[in-house]
Amino acid sequence: MNQLGEIGNPIAISGVGVITPLGDSLDTLATSLCTGYNGILQTWQSAKDIPKINIASIPNFDPLKYSPVKGLRLLNRTTQLGLCAAKLALDDAKIYCDINKQNNENHQTFDDVSDTYFDCNQIGLIGAFSFAHLPTLIKYDRSVVVEGLHKSNPALVPFSIPSAASSQIALSLGLKALCFTISSGNTSSLEALNLATLLLQQKRARALVVVTSFSFCDELLFSMSRASKFDTNYLPRPFDTNRKNIALGEAAAAVVLEPLSYAQQRDITPLTNLSGLSSAMAADNDEATETLLNSCTHAIKQAGIDVNDIGVISASASGDIEIDRREADVISCLYTNNDNICPIITAIKGSIGETLETGGLLQTLVAAWSIRNSSVPAIANLVNPETPLNYAQTKKVSVNTKHALITSTSHAGNAAALVISNF
């Protein structure tokens, strides 16, 4: 069980960058969700042997619009999305890396926050990527098999490993304090927040960018189609009795994390604070529900609040039969079974699709927006809930709370829970 350390100086989200089918800012995304817009409006088929599937893709994405850095066109689409989201987050936090400061004898200390131009050696990056390298790896592998090793491009090899996307983004933006990659499937982005918080508490960096993105590739779509995950006759129905399928969604999200006191000294109003996070891995699938429940319990305890203080739950339900039932069972154990008052439950994947490792961070950002704006987006296409709970079923639901719980789980048994708090 991995948990956040004791937080003396809370870690805050001081900058946000998102690129989704419903918009390229958090306000646009959250407002679209509350209005009832759905990004899953397209069917896609790239080859004759791949059936048509429902997807939520980002229309007319132009990376040069967001981050005109050198060599951008050489990166695959997933890495481009992540790079652009990271640039948006740094701009939102008003953090600009100055490469000249690293050679200055009078360089900044961690506690010197009077300047918006930061020593690039003090800003680092943690990426949450499980599939970003896959298109490049497959491209190189196919080239070796079809054309032979002597005709394959060796320059593709460094870009075909799981950590390639994080490294490329950090190098492009000049972030040199550190660079890590978390690759644990659906829970990757929440676990990246956990690692970033621990590193900031240890003063390994002055601020950290946590970035994640997901885009499609034919092989991944084909394998999921073979596993009967898609059905073009139905849109995803998270938590619904008649749910039959998921839809994949393309998205990117990034945040800047820094100690709350640093953000306040720079006159930055943080979006929210990370107050408790716990993650774990089930030994086998039979223990997955209990593992998620334990993660939620530990995260709430670490936040120093009672389970009834939670006003919003942002679940990772996406229309998947097993995952949705696991989420509902855990919420029931936390509230209904213990006679506690169940908070409002939302699940944004019904509107933007299953974004895999990107989902946890998007859930966090929309939940933080909901706390600040007292408005929770409804769960798309939810008509007949399988488990009776307090779901958001109208276009938006009013809420008055300071705390939200974000949950994430996967078929592999990963589980993570995060509590965010506004003070």
Side-chain angles (χ1 to χ4, degrees):
M1 182 76 68
N2 296 318
Q3 302 177 52
L4 292 176
E6 295 298 324
I7 300 178
N9 186 4
I11 303 302
I13 295 177
S14 59
V16 175
V18 297
I19 303 174
T20 74
L22 294 179
D24 58 2
S25 73
L26 179 56
D27 278 339
T28 304
L29 169 62
T31 302
S32 297
L33 290 170
C34 287
T35 308
Y37 287 108
N38 197 314
I40 309 170
L41 300 174
Q42 308 167 49
T43 56
W44 184 84
Q45 184 180 33
S46 65
K48 292 182 180 179
D49 55 350
I50 299 179
K52 290 184 178 180
I53 60 173
N54 293 321
I55 62 168
S57 65
I58 298 168
N60 306 316
F61 171 63
D62 180 7
L64 293 176
K65 171 185 174 183
Y66 303 95
S67 182
V69 300
K70 185 178 180 180
L72 189 61
R73 293 294 187 187
L74 300 176
L75 307 180
N76 66 35
R77 184 176 174 92
T78 307
T79 307
Q80 289 178 346
L81 284 166
L83 172 58
C84 294
K87 182 64 167 60
L88 289 173
L90 286 167
D91 290 346
D92 187 45
K94 296 181 173 59
I95 290 179
Y96 309 102
C97 290
D98 186 352
I99 194 169
N100 295 319
K101 281 188 177 289
Q102 64 180 318
N103 298 318
N104 188 341
E105 292 182 359
N106 299 316
H107 64 273
Q108 295 168 311
T109 65
F110 277 7
D111 295 324
D112 176 16
V113 291
S114 59
D115 194 353
T116 57
Y117 286 89
F118 289 78
D119 181 344
C120 60
N121 287 324
Q122 295 184 358
I123 313 296
L125 180 140
I126 298 178
F129 296 103
S130 295
F131 301 100
H133 68 296
L134 202 56
T136 307
L137 175 62
I138 292 171
K139 179 180 179 180
Y140 179 72
D141 182 67
R142 182 177 289 117
S143 174
V144 171
V145 173
V146 175
E147 300 177 9
L149 185 60
H150 62 290
K151 290 187 177 181
S152 299
N153 183 1
L156 294 176
V157 175
F159 302 139
S160 63
I161 57 177
S163 60
S166 301
S167 302
Q168 290 169 313
I169 295 170
L171 288 170
S172 296
L173 296 176
L175 309 179
K176 298 185 177 182
L178 55 87
C179 182
F180 287 101
T181 297
I182 302 293
S183 184
S184 55
N186 289 23
T187 62
S188 297
S189 56
L190 292 189
E191 293 185 39
L193 293 175
N194 185 12
L195 177 59
T197 301
L198 292 172
L199 293 171
L200 287 170
Q201 290 169 350
Q202 296 168 5
K203 292 199 172 184
R204 293 282 301 278
R206 179 173 169 175
L208 288 174
V209 176
V210 174
V211 60
T212 177
S213 58
F214 174 74
S215 188
F216 317 114
C217 72
D218 289 352
E219 289 74 15
L220 181 61
L221 294 171
F222 184 68
S223 64
M224 295 185 73
S225 179
R226 290 282 298 270
S228 302
K229 292 294 183 183
F230 305 125
D231 187 339
T232 54
N233 295 318
Y234 301 92
L235 287 174
R237 300 178 179 182
F239 291 121
D240 197 275
T241 301
N242 298 315
R243 64 188 184 279
K244 297 179 182 294
N245 66 306
I246 67 170
L248 286 182
E250 185 179 46
V255 294
V256 174
L257 296 183
E258 61 180 310
L260 177 60
S261 61
Y262 289 5
Q264 290 173 335
Q265 289 177 53
R266 295 192 299 110
D267 293 326
I268 299 295
T269 302
L271 174 67
T272 191
N273 299 322
L274 309 184
S275 52
L277 194 152
S278 180
S279 63
M281 177 75 179
D284 58 61
N285 211 39
D286 293 337
E287 300 176 4
T289 299
E290 182 180 358
T291 301
L292 179 59
L293 176 60
N294 289 339
S295 294
C296 293
T297 303
H298 281 92
I300 293 170
K301 181 179 179 180
Q302 186 183 54
I305 61 175
D306 185 77
V307 67
N308 288 310
D309 293 326
I310 300 292
V312 177
I313 295 179
S314 181
S316 63
S318 61
D320 184 279
I321 293 175
E322 179 185 343
I323 296 297
D324 291 19
R325 184 171 296 136
R326 185 186 303 167
E327 291 268 9
D329 288 347
V330 167
I331 296 171
S332 294
C333 288
L334 285 172
Y335 292 95
T336 308
N337 296 354
N338 293 314
D339 296 326
N340 293 313
I341 300 173
C342 185
I344 297 170
I345 303 165
T346 187
I348 63 174
K349 292 181 180 179
S351 298
I352 62 172
E354 174 57 82
T355 53
L356 300 177
E357 60 259 46
T358 307
L361 188 51
L362 287 173
Q363 291 170 233
T364 300
L365 295 176
V366 174
W369 183 95
S370 296
I371 294 175
R372 174 175 287 188
N373 293 275
S374 303
S375 186
V376 180
I379 301 174
N381 309 311
L382 177 58
V383 179
N384 299 307
E386 182 180 54
T387 304
L389 291 168
N390 187 20
Y391 301 108
Q393 288 188 258
T394 59
K395 283 188 178 181
K396 63 179 180 179
V397 178
S398 297
V399 65
N400 183 16
T401 185
K402 294 181 179 179
H403 308 283
L405 173 67
I406 295 90
T407 61
S408 182
T409 186
S410 72
H411 287 285
N414 305 62
L418 168 69
V419 175
I420 56 174
S421 303
N422 284 7
F423 298 103

